[in-house]
Amino acid sequence: MATRRVATIFGGSGFIGRYVVKRFAQQGFIVRVPSRDPEGALFLKPMGAVGQIVPLFASITNEATVHRAVDDAEVVVNLVGALTESGAASFQAIHAEGSERIARLSAAAGASRLIQISAIGADPNSPSRYASTKGRAEQGVLARFPRAVILRPSLVFGLEDKFFNRFAEIARLSPFMPVISGDTKMQPVYVADVADAVMAAQASSEPQGKIFELGGPRVWTFREILAFILKAIRRERRLVDIPMGIARIQASILQHVPGKPLTPDQLLMLSKDNVVSPGALGLADLGITPTPVELVVPGYLSRFQPGGGRRPTIPMPLDR
């Protein structure tokens, strides 16, 4: 009789997580999806057979619920992250302390694989609270689970992303496109490639204890990305550079607005290049050929075209 294989995917109902959950289900795993809102994860269930995908209540800040979530799991993936802080949900609590807790309890439960999704730029000494706590998370994970694999994606794009879609919506509504730190470099990586990287990391024993930086085939400046978005949605908008001093004032005000559209910490991250480091292990080392932005993004941004893009000229490829 085949042994039941269990994968626990923290953050499985999020943007990247849904792609990871689908892949584990396709490989026959029982997939647990711990969440503070299990009802919000029910949309994942049709990705597997009856009873195969199991949303359950857990918070990475709560020891007992994390312990229950990783019990008897062969593979644990931590995709949980926050771009802004809110109350008790601080970067320190979510990134550093939560990740360390998952790693420690996964090791104690006997998990054979732990994959931590971090971010390019993660550095305990970074002036950005986001990047510094991501760096401390990596340290805590490797201290508690030395065989863990760390994946650091650059900007992740895909149908449900909050970057390309967000700026396309701004372009649809605004008479101009604001540009902050337009020369900052980024290396957008397709969400399906990130999910494939997770599967490659769990399938092989070779990557254990290593860090991989995941970037797409092209390095873009922020200004080039915005110009590309305008072309994809067929709207003419002037790109207007916003001086950093004015951007800081705006961020100080907007960080108190519900949804926090811009924070001072995000400005710090936006001022630093977000590209794969020279010599770093990457997608190629996991056997993955990166997907170009040009192949995917125009398809899902067509809805922002005048008239709603009822006749898109570029089809969007299906998730692999």
Side-chain angles (χ1 to χ4, degrees), residues 9-25:
I9 317 296
F10 290 91
S13 59
F15 171 37
I16 301 174
R18 64 193 67 193
Y19 291 82
V20 175
V21 167
K22 178 180 178 181
R23 282 157 172 73
F24 273 102

PDB file of all heavy atoms in Angstrom, residues 9-25:
ATOM      1  N   ILE A   9       1.638  23.808   2.897  1.00  0.00           N
ATOM      2  CA  ILE A   9       1.983  25.021   2.156  1.00  0.00           C
ATOM      3  C   ILE A   9       1.459  26.230   2.912  1.00  0.00           C
ATOM      4  O   ILE A   9       0.277  26.594   2.808  1.00  0.00           O
ATOM      5  CB  ILE A   9       1.395  25.013   0.727  1.00  0.00           C
ATOM      6  CG1 ILE A   9       1.570  23.642   0.060  1.00  0.00           C
ATOM      7  CG2 ILE A   9       2.021  26.129  -0.096  1.00  0.00           C
ATOM      8  CD1 ILE A   9       3.001  23.229  -0.159  1.00  0.00           C
ATOM      9  N   PHE A  10       2.320  26.862   3.698  1.00  0.00           N
ATOM     10  CA  PHE A  10       1.942  28.106   4.358  1.00  0.00           C
ATOM     11  C   PHE A  10       1.874  29.216   3.302  1.00  0.00           C
ATOM     12  O   PHE A  10       2.786  29.378   2.498  1.00  0.00           O
ATOM     13  CB  PHE A  10       2.953  28.479   5.441  1.00  0.00           C
ATOM     14  CG  PHE A  10       2.924  27.585   6.647  1.00  0.00           C
ATOM     15  CD1 PHE A  10       3.730  26.457   6.709  1.00  0.00           C
ATOM     16  CD2 PHE A  10       2.089  27.870   7.718  1.00  0.00           C
ATOM     17  CE1 PHE A  10       3.712  25.618   7.818  1.00  0.00           C
ATOM     18  CE2 PHE A  10       2.057  27.040   8.832  1.00  0.00           C
ATOM     19  CZ  PHE A  10       2.861  25.907   8.877  1.00  0.00           C
ATOM     20  N   GLY A  11       0.778  29.972   3.304  1.00  0.00           N
ATOM     21  CA  GLY A  11       0.597  30.978   2.262  1.00  0.00           C
ATOM     22  C   GLY A  11       0.071  30.385   0.972  1.00  0.00           C
ATOM     23  O   GLY A  11       0.163  31.011  -0.085  1.00  0.00           O
ATOM     24  N   GLY A  12      -0.522  29.200   1.053  1.00  0.00           N
ATOM     25  CA  GLY A  12      -0.967  28.495  -0.148  1.00  0.00           C
ATOM     26  C   GLY A  12      -2.126  29.147  -0.874  1.00  0.00           C
ATOM     27  O   GLY A  12      -2.360  28.854  -2.045  1.00  0.00           O
ATOM     28  N   SER A  13      -2.860  30.031  -0.204  1.00  0.00           N
ATOM     29  CA  SER A  13      -3.983  30.683  -0.870  1.00  0.00           C
ATOM     30  C   SER A  13      -3.585  32.020  -1.491  1.00  0.00           C
ATOM     31  O   SER A  13      -4.439  32.721  -2.044  1.00  0.00           O
ATOM     32  CB  SER A  13      -5.129  30.913   0.126  1.00  0.00           C
ATOM     33  OG  SER A  13      -4.710  31.723   1.209  1.00  0.00           O
ATOM     34  N   GLY A  14      -2.311  32.368  -1.429  1.00  0.00           N
ATOM     35  CA  GLY A  14      -1.835  33.623  -1.993  1.00  0.00           C
ATOM     36  C   GLY A  14      -1.498  33.507  -3.473  1.00  0.00           C
ATOM     37  O   GLY A  14      -1.761  32.487  -4.119  1.00  0.00           O
ATOM     38  N   PHE A  15      -0.922  34.581  -3.994  1.00  0.00           N
ATOM     39  CA  PHE A  15      -0.603  34.671  -5.420  1.00  0.00           C
ATOM     40  C   PHE A  15       0.273  33.518  -5.891  1.00  0.00           C
ATOM     41  O   PHE A  15      -0.099  32.751  -6.787  1.00  0.00           O
ATOM     42  CB  PHE A  15       0.067  36.025  -5.676  1.00  0.00           C
ATOM     43  CG  PHE A  15       0.663  36.207  -7.037  1.00  0.00           C
ATOM     44  CD1 PHE A  15       0.051  35.684  -8.170  1.00  0.00           C
ATOM     45  CD2 PHE A  15       1.845  36.920  -7.202  1.00  0.00           C
ATOM     46  CE1 PHE A  15       0.606  35.866  -9.440  1.00  0.00           C
ATOM     47  CE2 PHE A  15       2.405  37.105  -8.454  1.00  0.00           C
ATOM     48  CZ  PHE A  15       1.790  36.569  -9.569  1.00  0.00           C
ATOM     49  N   ILE A  16       1.443  33.343  -5.284  1.00  0.00           N
ATOM     50  CA  ILE A  16       2.339  32.254  -5.677  1.00  0.00           C
ATOM     51  C   ILE A  16       1.805  30.918  -5.170  1.00  0.00           C
ATOM     52  O   ILE A  16       1.894  29.889  -5.839  1.00  0.00           O
ATOM     53  CB  ILE A  16       3.765  32.495  -5.145  1.00  0.00           C
ATOM     54  CG1 ILE A  16       4.327  33.817  -5.672  1.00  0.00           C
ATOM     55  CG2 ILE A  16       4.692  31.337  -5.523  1.00  0.00           C
ATOM     56  CD1 ILE A  16       5.676  34.201  -5.072  1.00  0.00           C
ATOM     57  N   GLY A  17       1.215  30.948  -3.981  1.00  0.00           N
ATOM     58  CA  GLY A  17       0.802  29.721  -3.327  1.00  0.00           C
ATOM     59  C   GLY A  17      -0.152  28.866  -4.121  1.00  0.00           C
ATOM     60  O   GLY A  17      -0.042  27.635  -4.144  1.00  0.00           O
ATOM     61  N   ARG A  18      -1.097  29.478  -4.815  1.00  0.00           N
ATOM     62  CA  ARG A  18      -2.088  28.686  -5.556  1.00  0.00           C
ATOM     63  C   ARG A  18      -1.432  27.865  -6.659  1.00  0.00           C
ATOM     64  O   ARG A  18      -1.895  26.763  -6.984  1.00  0.00           O
ATOM     65  CB  ARG A  18      -3.179  29.600  -6.121  1.00  0.00           C
ATOM     66  CG  ARG A  18      -2.706  30.601  -7.158  1.00  0.00           C
ATOM     67  CD  ARG A  18      -3.753  31.669  -7.421  1.00  0.00           C
ATOM     68  NE  ARG A  18      -3.936  32.516  -6.236  1.00  0.00           N
ATOM     69  CZ  ARG A  18      -4.951  33.361  -6.076  1.00  0.00           C
ATOM     70  NH1 ARG A  18      -5.880  33.446  -7.003  1.00  0.00           N
ATOM     71  NH2 ARG A  18      -5.033  34.095  -4.989  1.00  0.00           N
ATOM     72  N   TYR A  19      -0.346  28.384  -7.226  1.00  0.00           N
ATOM     73  CA  TYR A  19       0.373  27.649  -8.265  1.00  0.00           C
ATOM     74  C   TYR A  19       1.152  26.481  -7.646  1.00  0.00           C
ATOM     75  O   TYR A  19       1.277  25.417  -8.250  1.00  0.00           O
ATOM     76  CB  TYR A  19       1.322  28.574  -9.015  1.00  0.00           C
ATOM     77  CG  TYR A  19       0.612  29.606  -9.869  1.00  0.00           C
ATOM     78  CD1 TYR A  19       0.120  30.786  -9.322  1.00  0.00           C
ATOM     79  CD2 TYR A  19       0.425  29.399 -11.238  1.00  0.00           C
ATOM     80  CE1 TYR A  19      -0.547  31.731 -10.092  1.00  0.00           C
ATOM     81  CE2 TYR A  19      -0.240  30.336 -12.024  1.00  0.00           C
ATOM     82  CZ  TYR A  19      -0.716  31.497 -11.441  1.00  0.00           C
ATOM     83  OH  TYR A  19      -1.386  32.429 -12.210  1.00  0.00           O
ATOM     84  N   VAL A  20       1.688  26.709  -6.452  1.00  0.00           N
ATOM     85  CA  VAL A  20       2.429  25.656  -5.760  1.00  0.00           C
ATOM     86  C   VAL A  20       1.482  24.549  -5.304  1.00  0.00           C
ATOM     87  O   VAL A  20       1.776  23.352  -5.462  1.00  0.00           O
ATOM     88  CB  VAL A  20       3.203  26.252  -4.564  1.00  0.00           C
ATOM     89  CG1 VAL A  20       3.881  25.148  -3.755  1.00  0.00           C
ATOM     90  CG2 VAL A  20       4.237  27.265  -5.046  1.00  0.00           C
ATOM     91  N   VAL A  21       0.339  24.929  -4.749  1.00  0.00           N
ATOM     92  CA  VAL A  21      -0.655  23.938  -4.310  1.00  0.00           C
ATOM     93  C   VAL A  21      -1.069  23.047  -5.481  1.00  0.00           C
ATOM     94  O   VAL A  21      -1.146  21.815  -5.355  1.00  0.00           O
ATOM     95  CB  VAL A  21      -1.886  24.644  -3.707  1.00  0.00           C
ATOM     96  CG1 VAL A  21      -3.047  23.669  -3.540  1.00  0.00           C
ATOM     97  CG2 VAL A  21      -1.531  25.269  -2.364  1.00  0.00           C
ATOM     98  N   LYS A  22      -1.339  23.644  -6.622  1.00  0.00           N
ATOM     99  CA  LYS A  22      -1.757  22.880  -7.798  1.00  0.00           C
ATOM    100  C   LYS A  22      -0.713  21.844  -8.182  1.00  0.00           C
ATOM    101  O   LYS A  22      -1.048  20.683  -8.493  1.00  0.00           O
ATOM    102  CB  LYS A  22      -1.999  23.830  -8.965  1.00  0.00           C
ATOM    103  CG  LYS A  22      -2.404  23.151 -10.266  1.00  0.00           C
ATOM    104  CD  LYS A  22      -2.619  24.179 -11.366  1.00  0.00           C
ATOM    105  CE  LYS A  22      -2.981  23.517 -12.690  1.00  0.00           C
ATOM    106  NZ  LYS A  22      -3.174  24.516 -13.773  1.00  0.00           N
ATOM    107  N   ARG A  23       0.544  22.206  -8.138  1.00  0.00           N
ATOM    108  CA  ARG A  23       1.614  21.289  -8.537  1.00  0.00           C
ATOM    109  C   ARG A  23       1.770  20.135  -7.556  1.00  0.00           C
ATOM    110  O   ARG A  23       1.969  18.977  -7.965  1.00  0.00           O
ATOM    111  CB  ARG A  23       2.924  22.063  -8.704  1.00  0.00           C
ATOM    112  CG  ARG A  23       2.973  22.840 -10.023  1.00  0.00           C
ATOM    113  CD  ARG A  23       3.952  24.006  -9.961  1.00  0.00           C
ATOM    114  NE  ARG A  23       4.128  24.613 -11.276  1.00  0.00           N
ATOM    115  CZ  ARG A  23       3.219  25.376 -11.878  1.00  0.00           C
ATOM    116  NH1 ARG A  23       2.071  25.613 -11.274  1.00  0.00           N
ATOM    117  NH2 ARG A  23       3.458  25.894 -13.078  1.00  0.00           N
ATOM    118  N   PHE A  24       1.682  20.418  -6.268  1.00  0.00           N
ATOM    119  CA  PHE A  24       1.778  19.326  -5.298  1.00  0.00           C
ATOM    120  C   PHE A  24       0.585  18.376  -5.429  1.00  0.00           C
ATOM    121  O   PHE A  24       0.738  17.152  -5.314  1.00  0.00           O
ATOM    122  CB  PHE A  24       1.869  19.878  -3.870  1.00  0.00           C
ATOM    123  CG  PHE A  24       3.273  20.195  -3.442  1.00  0.00           C
ATOM    124  CD1 PHE A  24       3.738  21.503  -3.438  1.00  0.00           C
ATOM    125  CD2 PHE A  24       4.140  19.190  -3.046  1.00  0.00           C
ATOM    126  CE1 PHE A  24       5.029  21.804  -3.046  1.00  0.00           C
ATOM    127  CE2 PHE A  24       5.442  19.473  -2.644  1.00  0.00           C
ATOM    128  CZ  PHE A  24       5.887  20.788  -2.656  1.00  0.00           C
ATOM    129  N   ALA A  25      -0.588  18.919  -5.686  1.00  0.00           N
ATOM    130  CA  ALA A  25      -1.768  18.073  -5.876  1.00  0.00           C
ATOM    131  C   ALA A  25      -1.590  17.184  -7.101  1.00  0.00           C
ATOM    132  O   ALA A  25      -1.941  15.994  -7.078  1.00  0.00           O
ATOM    133  CB  ALA A  25      -3.016  18.935  -6.013  1.00  0.00           C
TER     134      ALA A  25
END
